[in-house]
């Protein structure tokens, strides 16, 4: 078994990678597991339960190739780190393979892309790139997302 785990960072080319993973999964007859939930009405403990229980079951699956897409709504790497390492160790003990990757982007370019997204989806108005770059809420956005995902949920 090979498990390929993609931690999708916002505004870093992740949609392209996710779509490629879905196509690979379909072409190679693999299993695609999607951890992406934008709903705000689901309690975080239910999302966490789904995530952690799914990780625990992966070594028992019969699939030769498993693709995992981890994005919004689920624990960040800080909370998931030990469980991901347990999964990796269990897979290695069974002579399986595990690969985890993400994609990063130039921080200024990423913030510009986020600003365009926020404006185009009408989530903010009157926000400029200079304001956004100086607003502490948005500083180190990729780092915060990697560790915490959406801590405000």
């Amino acid at each position: 078994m090979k498990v390929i785990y993609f931690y999708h960072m916002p505004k870093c080319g992740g949609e392209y990678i996710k779509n490629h993973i879905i196509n690979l999964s379909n072409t190679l007859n693999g299993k695609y597991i999607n951890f992406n939930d934008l709903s705000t009405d689901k309690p975080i403990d239910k999302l966490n339960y789904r995530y952690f229980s799914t990780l625990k079951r992966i070594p028992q699956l019969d699939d030769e190739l498993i693709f995992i897409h981890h994005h919004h709504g689920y624990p960040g790497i800080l909370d998931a780190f030990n469980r991901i390492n347990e999964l990796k160790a269990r897979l290695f003990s069974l002579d399986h393979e595990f690969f985890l990757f993400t994609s990063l982007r130039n921080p200024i370019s990423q913030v510009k892309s986020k600003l365009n997204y926020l404006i185009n989806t009408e989530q903010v108005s009157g926000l400029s790139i200079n304001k956004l770059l100086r607003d502490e809420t948005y500083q180190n956005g990729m780092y915060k997302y990697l560790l915490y995902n959406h801590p405000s949920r």
Side-chain angles (χ1 to χ4, degrees):
M1 173 189 295
K2 281 187 187 179
V3 175
I4 301 169
Y5 190 114
F6 171 52
Y7 192 87
H8 181 162
M9 303 282 284
K11 307 299 177 211
C12 294
E15 284 299 308
Y16 173 82
I17 295 169
K18 177 195 80 173
N19 290 333
H20 190 64
I21 286 172
I22 290 170
N23 288 337
L24 277 173
S25 180
N26 291 334
T27 302
L28 301 173
N29 210 19
K31 181 174 186 67
Y32 175 73
I33 299 172
N34 187 31
F35 293 115
N36 183 25
D37 193 323
L38 291 172
S39 62
T40 56
D41 60 338
K42 291 183 186 165
I44 194 71
D45 59 328
K46 288 190 179 195
L47 293 172
N48 286 351
Y49 177 79
R50 176 183 177 256
Y51 174 75
F52 291 128
S53 63
T54 301
L55 287 187
K56 191 173 184 175
R57 286 191 313 270
I58 286 174
Q60 286 83 44
L61 298 176
D62 292 330
D63 303 271
E64 288 297 316
L65 186 57
I66 298 174
F67 294 94
I68 299 172
H69 171 241
H70 182 156
H71 197 26
H72 295 306
Y74 290 90
I77 293 294
L78 183 66
D79 291 326
F81 184 78
N82 289 338
R83 302 280 181 92
I84 291 171
N85 275 339
E86 288 169 13
L87 170 63
K88 179 181 171 183
R90 179 72 180 128
L91 291 169
F92 284 175
S93 76
L94 297 169
D95 290 326
H96 298 315
E97 297 177 79
F98 179 84
F99 303 93
L100 183 143
F101 73 100
T102 192
S103 61
L104 300 176
R105 184 175 182 179
N106 173 301
I108 301 295
S109 175
Q110 194 261 354
V111 169
K112 286 180 182 177
S113 181
K114 182 171 184 75
L115 176 63
N116 287 332
Y117 173 79
L118 292 173
I119 290 170
N120 291 335
T121 58
E122 300 178 354
Q123 294 183 40
V124 297
S125 60
L127 191 59
S128 70
I129 188 67
N130 286 331
K131 273 187 182 177
L132 192 63
L133 289 172
R134 295 185 192 327
D135 184 335
E136 288 184 19
T137 306
Y138 295 102
Q139 290 177 4
N140 297 312
M142 287 184 284
Y143 168 78
K144 290 175 187 173
Y145 190 89
L146 178 64
L147 289 179
Y148 308 110
N149 199 315
H150 286 288
S152 62
R153 290 193 65 192

